[in-house]
Amino acid sequence: MAEENPDGVVIGLEIHVQLNKLNSKMFCACSTDYHNSEPNSNTCPVCLGLPGSLPVINEKAVESAMKVGLALNCDIVEQTQFHRKNYFYPDLPKGFQITQYDYPIANDGKIVIESDEGEHVVRIKRAHMEEDPGRMMHIGNIEKSKGTLIDYNRSGMALLEIVTEPDIRSPKESRRFLDKLRNIIEYLEVFDSNLEGAMRVDANISLQGGSRTEVKNISSHKGAERALLYEIMRQKNIMRRGGEVTMETRHFDEEKGCTVGLRSKEAEHDYRYFPEPDLTPLRVADRVPKVTKTLPELPDAKRERFLSQYGMTEMHAKALTSDIRVSEFFEEVAKEVDPKTSASWVADVLKGELNYRELTVDAFKVEDMISIIQMVTQDKITEKSAVEVIRQILDYGGKPDEIVRENGLLKVEEDVVSKAVTETIQENEQAVNDYFAGKEKSLNYLVGQVMKKTRGRADAKEVRELLVDKLNK
């Protein structure tokens, strides 16, 4: 490992997953649908921490946490208990957070990710339940804020904090782990990753011979990779100059792409944990069989099924199962169109166009994808025209058949292509001579001229074959 990780990078992650598909918060009846609400309007005495208010455990939240633990290959404890984590912060109205300490609901799990050297196991140390604090909005930036606004709508949302062992060795591995984790949890349908605050990351990192720093509240997987890359560079520079890396908590500035020191790192005793007196211990082991039955087919199992059932490539199987919505979209298309063909169009073409526009597969209709693939397989339009139809739908909307008709994308007749090929050969004597002189690029040029004559409605592969046949004759 020394050659692969010369700086001795050690990374551990703490991922806060918001169980935002529940109907109510962790300890009160307030709705979880707060994202479009007026600030501080989706609250009650419990989530505002008012004196005399008492928490009540959300049963569905407990079962959702157990689902995640089981999906991550964790052991579910016999009995769990909530604690008070005491610290003062403006977004924490009670002055403490209800969380789990000695008895997390799940522990000792693992996730297998793909690394540059092959499969790599990242161990899950624990997964524990807690409540989300409110949301702080700084006027300006966190370093030079003119003031801070607080919205308590998020306060009390059910969170599951997933803590890894320090098994990650690079920022790239961190991003792959986060991608895999999000994929698994999305399959469980306990959270919507597109909502604000759905998944936040605290990253702990150290280099060989240095102290550990923690980068707090990173809001994206790409941001986590960038923050860790910056921290490696920063810590290496300090150590290269003979300095000492300070154990501290830092903030990642997304705009500047750098981390900023916030405070010295707290130790466990600083939080003065003690059992939550308003909540009794909770026995959960008896619920494991019931919760296990609700587990869906998970990404790795679905990938193996796609390989065996549809005979697709490993690359397509990975691409199609990396998002539950894409896998469901594909299977609907594959009911009407050849699965291998469907896999290629959905995984290679549609996903590429969606990613370019930062859209999800929900932006495209299954019936439109079926219609487009059928037009290609029935030889009505070329593959190039099909891609153009997909782009038109994503950018401007419309129906496939209307776009084909209005833009003249129907495939031209064979005799029209043959005529265009003959004319191109007659009109481009120099390119023809270059072809016979062994210059391959000349053939590409001739194909391009035929495509121009047919306004892109001919099949480029067929045009190439026809050109070679006529030239050789």
Side-chain angles (χ1 to χ4, degrees), residues 105-153:
I105 195 165
N107 49 46
D108 298 330
K110 67 177 181 179
I111 289 181
V112 180
I113 63 171
E114 296 289 331
S115 71
D116 293 338
E117 289 77 38
E119 289 189 342
H120 176 59
V121 176
V122 177
R123 292 170 296 160
I124 306 296
K125 182 178 182 179
R126 57 187 279 152
H128 62 266
M129 303 186 70
E130 60 188 25
E131 59 181 340
D132 211 349
R135 181 184 176 210
M136 297 175 63
M137 288 158 281
H138 300 286
I139 302 172
N141 59 51
I142 197 169
E143 296 175 83
K144 299 178 181 179
S145 176
K146 297 178 181 178
T148 302
L149 304 175
I150 304 176
D151 180 7
Y152 288 113
N153 281 344

Side-chain angles (χ1 to χ4, degrees), residues 16 27 82-89 91-101 128-134 155-161 200 216 271-276 279:
H16 299 81
F27 299 114
F82 286 95
H83 280 67
R84 288 188 180 183
K85 181 180 181 182
N86 296 274
Y87 63 98
F88 175 76
Y89 220 58
D91 59 359
L92 199 65
K94 293 191 292 286
F96 63 86
Q97 181 186 36
I98 300 178
T99 182
Q100 291 176 329
Y101 178 51
H128 62 266
M129 303 186 70
E130 60 188 25
E131 59 181 340
D132 211 349
S155 181
M157 287 289 290
L159 280 185
L160 186 67
E161 181 173 344
R200 305 190 296 279
K216 295 283 285 185
Y271 294 121
R272 305 184 314 281
Y273 285 99
F274 65 84
E276 168 56 65
L279 296 172

Side-chain angles (χ1 to χ4, degrees), residues 160-439:
L160 186 67
E161 181 173 344
I162 299 164
V163 182
T164 77
E165 296 285 3
D167 292 339
I168 300 170
R169 298 293 179 263
S170 72
K172 185 189 291 185
E173 276 191 7
S174 297
R175 186 170 179 177
R176 286 174 178 169
F177 172 84
L178 291 169
D179 287 342
K180 182 75 175 281
L181 176 65
R182 179 179 60 188
N183 188 22
I184 291 170
I185 301 175
E186 281 184 332
Y187 270 64
L188 301 175
E189 296 188 346
V190 297
F191 96 128
D192 182 348
S193 63
N194 293 315
L195 295 176
E196 177 272 328
M199 183 182 279
R200 305 190 296 279
V201 181
D202 297 343
N204 293 279
I205 179 169
S206 66
L207 274 57
Q208 189 171 16
S211 295
R212 171 172 59 93
T213 63
E214 181 181 29
V215 187
K216 295 283 285 185
N217 287 324
I218 308 169
S219 59
S220 69
H221 300 185
K222 184 178 179 181
E225 184 178 24
R226 289 174 61 211
L228 289 166
L229 283 168
Y230 178 85
E231 267 302 290
I232 290 172
M233 178 184 68
R234 186 187 71 85
Q235 293 185 24
K236 282 174 68 174
N237 287 338
I238 290 173
M239 296 168 72
R240 191 181 293 121
R241 294 193 295 266
E244 189 172 327
V245 177
T246 306
M247 189 172 178
E248 62 177 335
T249 297
R250 300 180 68 83
H251 162 74
F252 179 59
D253 189 317
E254 291 269 2
E255 291 185 8
K256 295 180 181 178
C258 66
T259 64
V260 180
L262 290 178
R263 58 184 180 271
S264 59
K265 183 78 177 85
E266 296 94 342
E268 282 191 357
H269 64 265
D270 293 324
Y271 294 121
R272 305 184 314 281
Y273 285 99
F274 65 84
E276 168 56 65
D278 293 329
L279 296 172
T280 59
L282 188 65
R283 182 172 177 81
V284 292
D286 298 341
R287 295 170 179 260
V288 171
K290 172 190 171 185
V291 174
T292 302
K293 290 179 181 179
T294 68
L295 291 177
E297 181 182 41
L298 294 171
D300 288 348
K302 191 180 288 285
R303 186 180 75 244
E304 292 302 317
R305 178 170 67 81
F306 277 16
L307 287 169
S308 60
Q309 181 175 340
Y310 299 118
M312 63 178 66
T313 65
E314 179 81 24
M315 183 180 70
H316 283 160
K318 285 181 178 179
L320 293 171
T321 56
S322 65
D323 185 321
I324 186 172
R325 291 163 296 189
V326 173
S327 67
E328 290 172 348
F329 183 98
F330 158 74
E331 293 215 86
E332 287 299 313
V333 174
K335 289 177 183 177
E336 303 295 331
V337 185
D338 172 65
K340 285 186 179 180
T341 304
S342 301
S344 179
W345 277 96
V346 175
D348 297 336
V349 183
L350 181 59
K351 274 196 73 176
E353 296 297 331
L354 290 169
N355 290 341
Y356 177 74
R357 293 164 176 79
E358 297 184 346
L359 297 172
T360 66
V361 75
D362 300 330
F364 212 84
K365 294 179 180 178
V366 169
E367 55 266 30
D368 288 346
M369 194 75 243
I370 293 170
S371 176
I372 292 167
I373 297 174
Q374 286 177 338
M375 282 192 280
V376 174
T377 56
Q378 292 167 8
D379 222 24
K380 293 180 179 179
I381 62 174
T382 65
E383 291 186 358
K384 181 180 178 182
S385 295
V387 173
E388 180 59 29
V389 174
I390 291 172
R391 290 172 178 170
Q392 289 269 352
I393 291 173
L394 290 173
D395 292 338
Y396 309 110
K399 300 296 294 179
D401 53 345
E402 294 173 358
I403 293 170
V404 167
R405 186 174 63 254
E406 291 169 4
N407 292 273
L409 296 176
L410 281 172
K411 199 170 180 181
V412 293
E413 299 294 332
E414 192 173 326
D415 57 340
V416 175
V417 178
S418 181
K419 181 182 177 184
V421 168
T422 301
E423 290 176 354
T424 298
I425 292 172
Q426 293 171 348
E427 294 168 2
N428 295 274
E429 184 178 347
Q430 184 60 52
V432 171
N433 292 335
D434 288 343
Y435 169 77
F436 286 117
K439 296 180 180 179

